[in-house]
Amino acid sequence: MKKMKAVEVRQAKGPLQLVEREVPKPGTGQVLIKVQACGICHSDVFTKEGLWPGLEYPRIPGHEIAGIIEEMGSGVEGWKQGQRVGVGWHGGHCGRCEPCRRGDFVLCQRGLVPGISYDGGYAEYMVAPVEALVRIPADLSDLEAAPLLCAGITTFNALRNSGARAGDVVAILGIGGLGHLGVQFASKMGFQTVAIARGKEKEALAKKLGARHYIDSRTQNVAEVLMGLGGAKIILATVTSGKAMSATVGGLAIDGKLIMVGATQEPVEIPVVQFIMGRHSVQGWPSGTSSDSQDTLGFSVMTGIRPMIEEYPLERAAEAYERMMSGEARFRVVLKVS
């Protein structure tokens, strides 16, 4: 059997280990992907730390995958060997549960996630169901495409479904792995984009990425500054801090909305009277389907949006993961696999 290099976790809270495995075979409705690049996402902590219910080990993490179709299983139509494809957080759906029957595949009750439900992209090869595949445009490199399949789609999809219109004040809370893409998408969508981060050191970068205004949450009252701009129609919260999210809600305009995409266990405090009188709302947004990923890549090519990345070889995946977890990466860590 043909062998491949892979990085796996053998037990909850175990180390990332470089191993040799047999190259898997695609089953019915599946394809074998030769992985070219795989982003390292904070959500990989679910696999590394055993935080996902029912997770089976050993498991290869990774759900930001760019590669090439190496082999197709039976029943696969509309795809061909050698085609460039990607796989993101949405790694498959059942097609039978109530959300699927209504076309809401990302909320499938039996939904699959690469690197959690099945082996992901920290490997030279992986198998994925055909409904999870995304076509990668020729103008995007594999290293650029990979982070757009999670951080990219999450911010793009949340913003385009937010209800904001061109010219509205849209604030991006946090200029990190998600936020640096959120600023770019908001600007290219025609919003009056406000970037919010701690300290002055990210101001120049935020404005280079397209922010019209910058708020230093360390020295300024975020809510007051936002109200001085007329109030935010949308605040896209990309940080993993409930306290930081809570500090922004006083800056919502009438009918304003806080959209949370940064995962945290911390609660968000909502001033009830303000929300009643301002018709405010709060919402979460869970990534999107493969077709949403397709739209994300297409919009990124059309408008020149690209992630800022730090590149590591597969063999240094453990080091790359720790770099991501440190919060010091600028801004997405990507494994160059092939």
Side-chain angles (χ1 to χ4, degrees):
M1 293 290 291
K2 188 176 179 180
K3 302 290 186 179
M4 69 174 186
K5 293 178 183 177
V7 174
E8 67 179 18
V9 181
R10 295 179 180 173
Q11 61 187 24
K13 302 185 184 300
L16 290 165
Q17 296 180 276
L18 182 66
V19 299
E20 186 177 77
R21 282 198 185 186
E22 292 183 356
V23 175
K25 296 289 291 184
T28 301
Q30 298 178 331
V31 300
L32 175 67
I33 299 172
K34 183 178 183 181
V35 179
Q36 302 294 304
C38 182
I40 294 183
C41 178
H42 191 272
S43 296
D44 293 341
V45 73
F46 289 127
T47 303
K48 178 74 165 55
E49 300 301 316
L51 302 177
W52 195 271
L55 184 65
E56 296 180 0
Y57 292 97
R59 179 63 74 223
I60 299 171
H63 59 267
E64 296 181 354
I65 301 134
I68 299 168
I69 295 178
E70 180 84 2
E71 183 182 345
M72 296 184 293
S74 61
V76 175
E77 299 178 359
W79 304 87
K80 60 184 179 181
Q81 190 173 5
Q83 187 172 1
R84 294 180 70 215
V85 294
V87 182
W89 176 265
H90 174 250
H93 54 269
C94 73
R96 301 183 301 277
C97 68
E98 190 61 24
C100 282
R101 283 167 54 83
R102 297 179 180 276
D104 203 357
F105 301 124
V106 76
L107 296 181
C108 172
Q109 293 172 355
R110 303 177 187 88
L112 303 176
V113 181
I116 294 177
S117 310
Y118 54 86
D119 286 330
Y122 289 24
E124 292 180 311
Y125 293 89
M126 68 165 292
V127 167
V130 69
E131 68 267 21
L133 299 183
V134 179
R135 293 177 176 88
I136 297 180
D139 292 335
L140 276 179
S141 72
D142 297 310
L143 291 168
E144 292 170 333
L148 292 174
L149 297 171
C150 184
I153 180 182
T154 300
T155 50
F156 171 77
N157 216 20
L159 287 170
R160 72 167 176 170
N161 288 287
S162 68
R165 301 174 66 178
D168 284 342
V169 174
V170 171
I172 310 299
L173 175 61
I175 310 300
L178 289 165
H180 88 286
L181 289 167
V183 169
Q184 294 181 72
F185 285 124
S187 175
K188 295 297 185 181
M189 289 177 182
F191 303 138
Q192 186 180 165
T193 304
V194 182
I196 306 169
R198 296 179 73 246
K200 296 287 288 184
E201 59 271 11
K202 289 185 179 179
E203 180 174 6
L205 172 62
K207 290 187 174 179
K208 182 179 179 181
L209 293 174
R212 183 180 293 268
H213 307 280
Y214 181 83
I215 302 175
D216 175 6
S217 61
R218 187 176 290 163
T219 61
Q220 295 175 281
N221 184 302
V222 175
E224 288 182 0
V225 178
L226 286 175
M227 291 308 294
L229 297 172
K233 180 71 173 182
I234 299 294
I235 299 172
L236 182 68
T238 71
V239 296
T240 56
S241 167
K243 183 178 180 180
M245 295 183 195
S246 301
T248 68
V249 295
L252 288 170
I254 292 175
D255 292 321
K257 184 191 299 181
L258 171 70
I259 302 179
M260 301 177 294
V261 294
T264 176
Q265 296 297 317
E266 297 178 10
V268 175
E269 295 183 3
I270 299 299
V272 177
V273 174
Q274 174 201 314
F275 265 57
I276 292 172
M277 300 307 297
R279 289 198 304 249
H280 297 158
S281 60
V282 61
Q283 181 181 23
W285 195 267
S287 185
T289 64
S290 55
S291 62
D292 294 319
S293 288
Q294 195 86 56
D295 293 344
T296 303
L297 299 186
F299 187 84
S300 298
V301 168
M302 180 176 66
T303 58
I305 292 173
R306 298 293 186 273
M308 297 174 64
I309 63 173
E310 294 183 6
E311 176 187 329
Y312 286 77
L314 177 64
E315 291 79 3
R316 293 170 59 194
E319 178 186 347
Y321 177 86
E322 292 303 323
R323 174 68 174 168
M324 177 277 298
M325 290 296 292
S326 74
E328 297 298 319
R330 292 294 180 97
F331 283 100
R332 302 297 292 186
V333 178
V334 183
L335 299 175
K336 185 175 182 180
V337 180
S338 298

